[in-house]
Amino acid sequence: MWFTKNGKPVLGKGGVDLLLAIDETGSLLAAAQKLGYSYSFAWSYLKKVEDSLGIRLVELHRGGATKGWARLTKEGRELLELYKKIETEIDKIVKSFE
């Protein structure tokens, strides 16, 4: 399933998995590693989604002595919840045809 904007894909299962992994690990690097993505791919994908939607999905804090972190914004959490709800409804519809 893909969310689209102006006919162009914006967010799909891979992006949702990335957001979930960021939420779980608290780190973009750890999330990328968990999913087998390079850091640059994960960062570029996230930036592309945010730019397409015009909202921030993840708040990033750079590392250094205090160590960096990442966390979903309110909008990022809302988008994940919406995706999950729609996915659940689609699954119910598909099962009704079985």
Side-chain angles (χ1 to χ4, degrees):
M1 178 177 75
W2 280 90
F3 282 175
T4 62
K5 183 175 180 182
N6 300 325
K8 295 182 181 181
V10 175
L11 182 70
K13 181 71 171 137
V16 167
D17 289 344
L18 179 60
L19 291 174
L20 289 169
I22 291 168
D23 194 37
E24 178 184 320
T25 64
S27 161
L28 180 58
L29 176 60
Q33 291 173 337
K34 177 180 179 174
L35 297 172
Y37 299 161
S38 70
Y39 177 84
S40 63
F41 173 82
W43 187 87
S44 296
Y45 183 89
L46 179 60
K47 179 78 171 135
K48 181 180 174 184
V49 173
E50 290 181 333
D51 288 348
S52 295
L53 294 174
I55 57 173
R56 298 253 331 234
L57 300 175
V58 177
E59 182 181 357
L60 297 170
H61 177 72
R62 293 191 75 151
T66 60
K67 193 174 180 186
W69 50 263
R71 66 177 166 225
L72 299 183
T73 62
K74 176 184 170 215
E75 294 82 4
R77 290 191 186 287
E78 289 172 353
L79 185 64
L80 274 181
E81 288 175 25
L82 179 60
Y83 189 96
K84 289 179 197 177
K85 284 180 184 177
I86 292 170
E87 188 175 52
T88 298
E89 288 303 312
I90 290 172
D91 287 344
K92 287 179 187 176
I93 292 167
V94 168
K95 287 178 183 176
S96 74
F97 289 108
E98 294 176 347

